């Protein structure tokens, strides 16, 4: 079955059919860079990171565009408070955002356009909207006229009357309709401003995303996403601008992530209840944060609290402990056949395949990561049972089945960006002797210290396997003996060679 995606616009799950077969264009609204991001923002970016990685795992060629909003009222206000330029604020928090994004292990977007680099494209769109009678100019401001776009409200499923209910702010008498929104804002003294046909000014927030998505993905593309709080007015307005301008359907699928709440309230800078990503990362491994995101469906809210973190911590530990037991079993002495355990091997192999099948079914069903995670834990349970049953007495066949199960666990975790590398294994490569470099240069002809020692060792072992295949025993034995002298033992298995430091 094909991948199903919940589309906010049609309010149902639909089969994912992309504009160009095998390719996906995705636009995710990026941060307004005036402050550090909090874990609510972090969750939304993580959710889309998980989705994008999974789509790549399923073979799609994904073009991922995530913008930086580097001109906005909030940036200008912050600059004023600190007595620095808006550019400086934007520069500082763009850097901070990149640090946090890298810290969380987010894949970099294919393109990361900045709003201020695309002012001309925005002006071009605004001019087009005026020409089409969808926008009007007053005193150097330009407004979109919502009553002229028949589909206004289709994403948020609200009529213009609903939108006005409970209206408290005084309506600007220059607007034709209270819901008309700014495409261009005339410059106030001291604000950053660009030349335009309507005088000096700057773009409104919504037109930025319409212009940048169009530039990098085209008039129509596959997925547009962000947090649920962006549905109205931001995404509703993007649709009005883009479809009004091009006359084509804008995004095929609208995906929105659930909020992170604290108690009854949304986590928001304005409410002062935020936990910053950079602070959380000081105390917790990024995989813990990712597990927190994976444990809840991306559209459901997360009520954040210490117990949520604890759950994610213990999930991470459960994975790592399983991987430690696996490594321990694989490096323990291999014993000869124990016939009564043969059926256990078959059942671990089945469990591995079953886990992969369930994982894919879950992720294909609108990225149900919680169910996908459950299938990984089922595999962990089977692995633990298997290791216990053998009690440290594994045959070659048992080790192979265990190694296959481990590979599937790593494949599935990798598909959603979870890194289950053992933290202690990172240091092991460093413990390898420098003599590896000389051996690499002798058998591979690779320049000294051109690569990391563990990478070189893998290549040396590959070279040895090749030699064995060609019955070139002199080379194969030479490699084995020299490694042994360095204290590195090789074990040959049907799946390849494994090494361990004696
Ligand atoms: P902002 O900087 O407020 O435009 O937010 C950047 C991204 O984070 C947007 O996709 C928002 O929808 C999302 N976001 C903001 N607050 C939260 C929250 N409490 N929970 C989840 N996502 C959020
Ligand atoms: Zn946007």
């Amino acid at each position: 079955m094909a991948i199903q995606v919940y589309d906010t616009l049609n309010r149902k799950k639909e089969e994912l059919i992309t504009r160009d077969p095998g390719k996906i264009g995705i636009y995710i609204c990026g941060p307004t860079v005036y402050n550090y991001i909090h874990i609510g923002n972090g969750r939304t970016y993580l959710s889309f990171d998980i989705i994008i990685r999974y789509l790549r795992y399923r073979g799609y060629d994904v073009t991922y565009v995530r913008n930086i909003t580097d001109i906005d009222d909030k940036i200008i206000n912050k600059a004023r408070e600190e007595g620095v330029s808006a550019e400086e604020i934007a520069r500082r928090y763009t850097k901070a955002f990149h640090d946090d994004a890298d810290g969380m292990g987010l894949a970099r977007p294919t393109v990361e356009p900045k709003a201020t680099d695309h002012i001309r494209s925005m002006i071009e769109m605004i001019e087009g909207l005026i020409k089409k009678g969808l926008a009007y100019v007053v005193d150097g401001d330009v407004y979109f006229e919502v009553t002229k776009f028949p589909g206004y409200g289709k994403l948020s499923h609200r009529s213009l009357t609903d939108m006005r209910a409970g209206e408290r702010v005084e309506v600007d008498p220059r607007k034709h309709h209270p819901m008309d929104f700014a495409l261009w804002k005339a410059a106030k003294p001291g604000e950053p401003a660009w030349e335009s046909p309507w005088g000096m000014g700057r773009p409104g927030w919504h037109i930025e995303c319409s212009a940048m998505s169009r530039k990098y993905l085209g008039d129509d593309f596959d997925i547009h996403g962000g947090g649920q709080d962006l549905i109205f007015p931001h995404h509703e307005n993007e649709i009005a601008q883009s479809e009004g301008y091009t006359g084509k359907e804008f995004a095929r699928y609208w995906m929105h992530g659930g909020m992170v709440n604290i108690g009854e309230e949304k986590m928001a800078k304005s409410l002062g209840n935020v936990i910053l990503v950079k602070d959380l990362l000081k105390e917790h491994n990024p995989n813990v944060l990712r597990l927190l995101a994976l444990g809840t469906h991306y559209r459901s809210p997360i009520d954040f609290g210490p117990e949520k973190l604890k759950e994610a911590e213990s999930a991470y530990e459960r994975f790592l402990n399983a991987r430690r037991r696996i490594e321990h079993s694989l490096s323990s002495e291999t014993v000869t056949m124990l016939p009564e355990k043969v059926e256990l091997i078959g059942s671990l192999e089945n469990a591995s395949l079953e886990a992969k099948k369930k994982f894919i079914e879950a992720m294909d069903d609108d990225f149900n990561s919680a169910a996908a995670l459950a299938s990984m834990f089922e595999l962990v349970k089977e692995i633990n049972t298997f290791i216990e049953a053998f009690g440290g007495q594994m045959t070659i066949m048992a080790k192979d089945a265990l190694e296959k199960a481990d590979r599937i666990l790593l494949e599935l975790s990798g598909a959603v960006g979870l890194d289950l590398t053992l933290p202690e294994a990172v240091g092991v490569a460093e413990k390898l002797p420098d003599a590896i470099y000389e051996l690499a240069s002798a058998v591979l002809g690779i320049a000294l210290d051109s690569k990391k020692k563990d990478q070189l060792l893998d290549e040396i072992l590959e070279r040895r396997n090749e030699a064995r295949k060609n019955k070139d025993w002199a080379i194969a034995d030479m490699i084995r003996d020299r490694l042994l002298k360095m204290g590195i033992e090789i074990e040959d298995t049907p799946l390849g060679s494994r090494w361990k430091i004696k």
Side-chain angles (χ1 to χ4, degrees):
M1 246 222 335
I3 295 179
Q4 303 281 312
V5 174
Y6 183 89
D7 178 24
T8 308
L9 199 142
N10 291 321
R11 286 186 162 165
K12 59 177 168 43
K13 282 188 210 170
E14 291 172 351
E15 191 174 317
L16 177 65
I17 302 168
T18 59
R19 189 189 65 187
D20 306 316
K23 293 188 178 175
I24 295 195
I26 301 189
Y27 186 92
I28 302 298
C29 295
T32 303
V33 280
Y34 74 103
N35 218 327
Y36 296 105
I37 59 163
H38 57 71
I39 56 171
N41 310 130
R43 187 228 177 160
T44 295
Y45 298 127
L46 260 170
S47 295
F48 286 104
D49 183 78
I50 290 163
I51 289 168
I52 285 160
R53 284 177 192 271
Y54 181 71
L55 290 169
R56 288 188 171 138
Y57 171 73
R58 294 289 267 132
Y60 282 101
D61 174 3
V62 180
T63 302
Y64 170 26
V65 183
R66 189 188 61 209
N67 72 293
I68 297 276
T69 292
D70 60 347
I71 182 67
D72 184 84
D73 288 344
K74 290 174 189 154
I75 299 174
I76 295 171
N77 291 341
K78 179 94 172 182
R80 209 169 275 146
E81 273 168 35
E82 290 196 19
V84 297
S85 68
E87 286 92 339
E88 182 169 338
I89 294 292
R91 212 178 308 120
R92 184 195 307 160
Y93 291 106
T94 300
K95 161 88 173 64
F97 173 66
H98 286 155
D99 290 346
D100 288 345
D102 288 349
M104 281 192 289
L106 301 185
R108 301 240 170 121
T110 321
V111 192
E112 191 180 54
K114 283 186 184 165
T116 54
D117 290 337
H118 297 80
I119 306 283
R120 271 221 313 214
S121 317
M122 296 170 203
I123 291 176
E124 188 189 305
M125 267 184 116
I126 299 170
E127 281 185 303
L129 289 170
I130 296 172
K131 254 189 221 134
K132 287 192 160 187
L134 289 165
Y136 57 92
V137 189
V138 245
D139 312 327
D141 289 334
V142 186
Y143 287 99
F144 187 94
E145 189 158 9
V146 290
T147 50
K148 296 281 171 67
F149 181 73
Y152 196 74
K154 67 179 175 179
L155 183 72
S156 52
H157 305 97
R158 289 201 256 183
S159 68
L160 281 171
T161 331
D162 297 342
M163 291 174 199
R164 292 198 58 184
E167 203 172 76
R168 271 188 225 123
V169 281
E170 214 173 302
V171 175
D172 181 347
R174 302 172 314 149
K175 288 204 226 173
H176 296 182
H177 187 279
M179 296 312 294
D180 289 353
F181 57 89
L183 296 169
W184 187 263
K185 299 177 179 183
K188 296 195 189 91
E191 283 183 0
W194 288 262
E195 266 176 40
S196 82
W198 320 288
M200 295 298 284
R202 62 192 162 89
W205 171 35
H206 317 301
I207 196 71
E208 296 180 3
C209 288
S210 281
M212 290 185 276
S213 60
R214 179 167 175 264
K215 169 142 188 193
Y216 296 100
L217 297 169
D219 288 348
D220 60 320
F221 57 92
D222 301 305
I223 297 176
H224 195 316
Q228 280 160 0
D229 57 342
L230 298 190
I231 297 175
F232 187 84
H234 187 50
H235 289 165
E236 192 72 66
N237 292 353
E238 278 190 47
I239 293 181
Q241 298 161 155
S242 295
E243 297 193 353
Y245 179 76
T246 65
K248 293 184 199 162
E249 186 195 22
F250 181 36
R252 289 175 166 235
Y253 305 91
W254 284 91
M255 294 183 71
H256 291 99
M259 292 293 105
V260 171
N261 301 320
I262 296 248
E264 302 286 291
E265 278 181 337
K266 173 185 144 180
M267 184 177 285
K269 286 162 203 164
S270 55
L271 295 174
N273 60 355
V274 299
I275 297 167
L276 300 181
V277 166
K278 73 180 174 86
D279 292 337
L280 200 81
L281 287 177
K282 277 185 208 148
E283 312 258 322
H284 301 275
N285 183 290
N287 289 293
V288 171
L289 198 51
R290 190 172 288 260
L291 277 161
L292 195 95
L294 284 167
T296 303
H297 189 275
Y298 76 91
R299 283 191 282 118
S300 303
I302 293 182
D303 189 4
F304 185 79
E307 64 297 337
K308 280 274 168 211
L309 261 180
K310 247 190 230 138
E311 266 170 41
E313 285 278 8
S314 73
Y316 184 48
E317 273 309 308
R318 219 170 346 143
F319 277 126
L320 290 189
N321 285 336
R323 293 225 58 247
R324 284 188 186 110
R325 274 182 223 124
I326 294 169
E327 300 262 305
H328 181 76
S329 304
L330 292 180
S331 58
S332 64
E333 212 68 48
T334 305
V335 300
T336 43
M337 196 63 193
L338 302 165
E340 72 277 15
K341 304 269 173 70
V342 167
E343 72 285 355
L344 287 177
I345 292 172
S347 86
L348 182 63
E349 280 172 347
N350 285 340
S352 303
L353 296 177
E354 185 62 20
K356 179 167 168 173
K357 192 170 142 254
K358 280 195 188 159
F359 176 95
I360 291 176
E361 273 168 12
M363 288 301 285
D364 277 4
D365 180 14
D366 191 31
F367 311 99
N368 189 345
S369 58
L373 200 57
S375 75
M376 287 169 66
F377 279 123
E378 274 166 38
L379 178 56
V380 163
K381 203 170 120 212
E382 295 289 335
I383 288 171
N384 288 337
T385 311
F386 183 84
I387 292 173
E388 257 162 50
F390 277 90
Q393 301 262 297
M394 279 198 192
T395 58
I396 282 272
M397 267 172 69
K399 283 190 177 181
D400 282 345
L402 189 58
E403 193 166 33
K404 266 190 215 151
D406 188 36
R407 275 191 205 173
I408 288 187
L409 191 60
L410 292 180
E411 175 186 323
L412 303 183
S413 51
V416 288
L418 200 59
D419 182 2
L420 298 184
T421 313
L422 291 173
E424 57 269 28
V426 176
V428 168
E430 293 315 306
K431 287 192 202 119
L432 289 169
D434 287 342
I436 291 276
Y437 290 128
E438 284 144 47
L439 183 59
S441 129
V443 302
L444 304 169
I446 290 181
L448 285 183
D449 56 24
S450 61
K451 287 183 182 170
K452 291 220 181 97
K453 284 186 263 187
D454 54 333
Q455 272 177 323
L456 286 174
L457 182 53
D458 286 343
E459 288 181 30
I460 291 168
L461 291 184
E462 235 170 76
R463 172 77 189 89
R464 180 169 167 274
N465 276 338
E466 222 175 80
R468 291 175 75 218
K469 250 189 241 146
N470 300 333
K471 303 204 179 347
D472 194 348
W473 305 117
I475 296 240
D477 291 348
M478 181 272 277
I479 293 176
R480 156 169 277 190
D481 293 345
R482 282 189 59 176
L483 285 173
L484 211 54
K485 265 194 209 130
M486 296 176 210
I488 299 167
E489 205 170 13
I490 307 180
E491 187 181 14
D492 296 313
T493 82
L495 281 177
S497 305
R498 282 192 280 263
W499 59 268
K500 66 175 178 186
I501 301 178
K502 271 209 299 184

